[in-house]
Amino acid sequence: MKYYAHSKDTVKSEWHLLKNHLMDTAKIAETFAKRFGAGELGYIAGLLHDIGKYSDDFQKRLQGEKIRVNHSTAGALEALKLHKTFGIILAYVIAGHHCGLTNWGSKVDESSLAGRLTNRRLPDYSAYTKEIVVPKLKEIPSPLKKYPSGRGFSAQFFIRFLYSSLVDADFLDTEQALNIQKAKLRENSNVLCLRELESLLDKYLAELTASAKNTPVNMLRNKILNVCRENARSAPGLFTLTVPTGGGKTLSSLAFALKHALTYDKDRIIYVIPYTSIIEQNAAIFKQIFGEAVVLEHHSNFNYPEDEDKEADLEYAQAIEKVKLASENWDIPIVATTNVQFFESLFAAKSSRCRKLHNIVNSVIIIDEAQMIPTGYLRPCINALIELVENYKTTVILCTATQPAINRFIPTEIKISEIMDNPRDLYNAFKRVEIKDLGFVDDECLAERLLKHRQVLCIVNSKKHARLLFNKVKETDSKGVFHLSTRMCPVHRTQTLRQIKECLNRDNTCRVISTQLVEAGVDLDFPIVYRSLAGIDSIAQASGRCNRNGLLPKGLVFVFRPEKHGMPAGWLSRTASIGEEILRDNDDSLSLDAVKDYFTLLYNIEGEMLDKNNIMGLIREQENSLSFPFRQIADEFKLIDENTTPVIIPWDEQCRNLLQQAAWSKRPGSFARKLQQYTVQVFEGEFKEMLRLGIIEYVAGNYYVLREDTVKSHYSKEMGLMPCTESMFLNDNLII
């Protein structure tokens, strides 16, 4: 009798033979897992993952009978017979290859791994022994050479990476059998190698240097670039790159990463960025340098280009399709992604989120704006980076102007190397602003001060304050005044930023009232910046928008305390309080010593809140028995508060067309990615009020949309989504 893994809409002789699927998946999984020392385990996982399909019930299901068959538990049970410890690890991986990694749980819970492993109601799958020979798992040495964050943390991390190897191998082999056209698109024959990418970067940087004015700032930027290139031959490990804001650290860190990758035969560069607004900007630069085909921009707001002229170009269309496929498993030379996507994947349980993990192995990872690793998850995030460096052949670069004081969380045997020769001298050379503390200022006085400046940026701590202050400034003089906040959908914000840059480039009047979204990575240069009291890292980022290109002898940054807009309880209040202390006690509150003092005080105060959902505790409690709660960990490790609902703004004709297509589509959910750039996140209370008032409607069974007849009254072309009532802004201090 022939056994099949997958059926096709063809004659049975063309179906995917089960033996072939298991053997081929095993070889692919072995290749992936070998890169982190687990080739033998990867091979066995591939052989065993689908042996449950050898049952008569499953073969009947392939032939059309509507019966449910548990086919993944069989391989997990057989794995337990091979080895006590590695058997459990393989059981997690095999049992979850479709449904995701489960909690170990209890024997009475049939959805947990413990419950599934006590399940003796499986159909007979013993026929696998006639076609598959599973190697005996002898006493092999542990693939993990070190346990920098504890045995439990290293073990659960390893399980995810082995799981990733199996899941991707399974997908790829199935794709090869059932969708040969898609499989061919994955072939990397046309993808440039890293050496060619370095040549393209060198050419771009040479042209950039040649066209740049010979200013002191540009000379310093060139020096930073050269130091990064020179130090790229340093041995792989954990690095910091401490470069003042405006020092060109994006391209300099990329130059380091490429040369380092070539020196030590690394596979790819992964650029991790806190905000989607920054990633869009940086990814655009990367694509300009290297081309679309080798850069994956992986975040929620990204849409793949649909330019009609370019789509007529078959080669371009295939390149875009390859990049789309790379979003599934990160098999591409350069990945630009977000903190959310990167760190949540490292603690995920779903196969779709974990599939990419094995391609993080042997990469160079740049953590841009490292101070913005969410403090509530700092300990697990730092431990994950350490694990990657110690056991998965990665080099990690923490890149920022304000290095967080994380040395206390790094094991003493792990060396942190600073790429810059003398960050202190560099800071002094780059010092372009003077900080002035204004004390308490009411909105009337603040608006008057802003109106005295022809070009000025004012950053406040809440969307409500930004809206009220914008209106107050605009009442007096509406010329060249702009508002920025996340009440504006991403497309709207991008257009507004473009207008602001045009104003500045033409030396026109430009007054911008913004929340903190403008602080990190947005390339704006104002002579004057006002910043509502906040943490020193935020004040430093705001200062980076002031005299950014060093065209003035000194830019001015005014820090003020808004009289009628006090700090909300919680995180912002604590960081502002420490920031105020640093401002008071230091002549230069942005110096490297002051920044170090700020983070030291902050982390001392936060204490247990550096792992606010006790991720490390959940792991540590179960490390001896390997009974990890994978689902619970994934649920607890969420970097963004999900107490919001996306509301789509019909901003332009393209959005309206997409909504119309979704309404008539059999798969309306497939339009979610394209519509993401038109969404505003709305808190629960406001969302319920909008529903009650009939301001939003439910479209295509998937999307909440601001009704066309309410757009003019509830969405401002200057400020974005307007509140139904002032009470709707109670949560405004929580997000940007």
Side-chain angles (χ1 to χ4, degrees), residues 41 84-94 155 158-159 162 626:
L41 293 175
K84 183 178 180 181
T85 301
F86 290 122
I88 294 174
I89 289 172
L90 286 166
Y92 275 115
V93 169
I94 294 166
F158 174 78
I159 290 170
L162 186 62
L626 298 181

Side-chain angles (χ1 to χ4, degrees), residues 135-146:
K136 291 185 178 181
L137 196 57
K138 301 173 183 177
E139 289 299 324
I140 63 172
S142 171
L144 300 172
K145 305 304 179 187
K146 300 177 182 178

Side-chain angles (χ1 to χ4, degrees), residues 346 548 655 697:
L346 291 173
R548 185 177 181 85
C655 181
E697 59 184 341

Side-chain angles (χ1 to χ4, degrees), residues 192-243:
L192 299 176
C193 69
L194 291 183
R195 189 164 300 283
E196 291 171 303
L197 297 187
E198 187 188 36
S199 296
L200 289 172
L201 179 62
D202 288 345
K203 180 183 177 183
Y204 177 86
L205 290 170
E207 291 173 352
L208 195 66
T209 301
S211 63
K213 294 179 181 178
N214 193 27
T215 64
V217 167
N218 284 334
M219 291 171 67
L220 284 169
R221 288 171 179 164
N222 198 46
K223 180 180 178 181
I224 290 166
L225 172 63
N226 289 334
V227 171
C228 283
R229 283 169 164 163
E230 290 167 9
N231 290 335
R233 291 182 174 82
S234 302
L238 180 59
F239 292 86
T240 54
L241 176 59
T242 308
V243 172

Side-chain angles (χ1 to χ4, degrees), residues 529-553:
V529 170
Y530 284 74
R531 182 58 168 98
S532 185
L533 181 65
I536 289 299
D537 54 337
S538 292
I539 294 172
Q541 288 294 335
S543 300
R545 311 314 117 194
C546 182
N547 197 22
R548 185 177 181 85
N549 295 316
L551 301 178
L552 302 171

Side-chain angles (χ1 to χ4, degrees), residues 76 343 494 563 639:
F343 286 111
T494 299
E563 249 181 24
L639 300 190

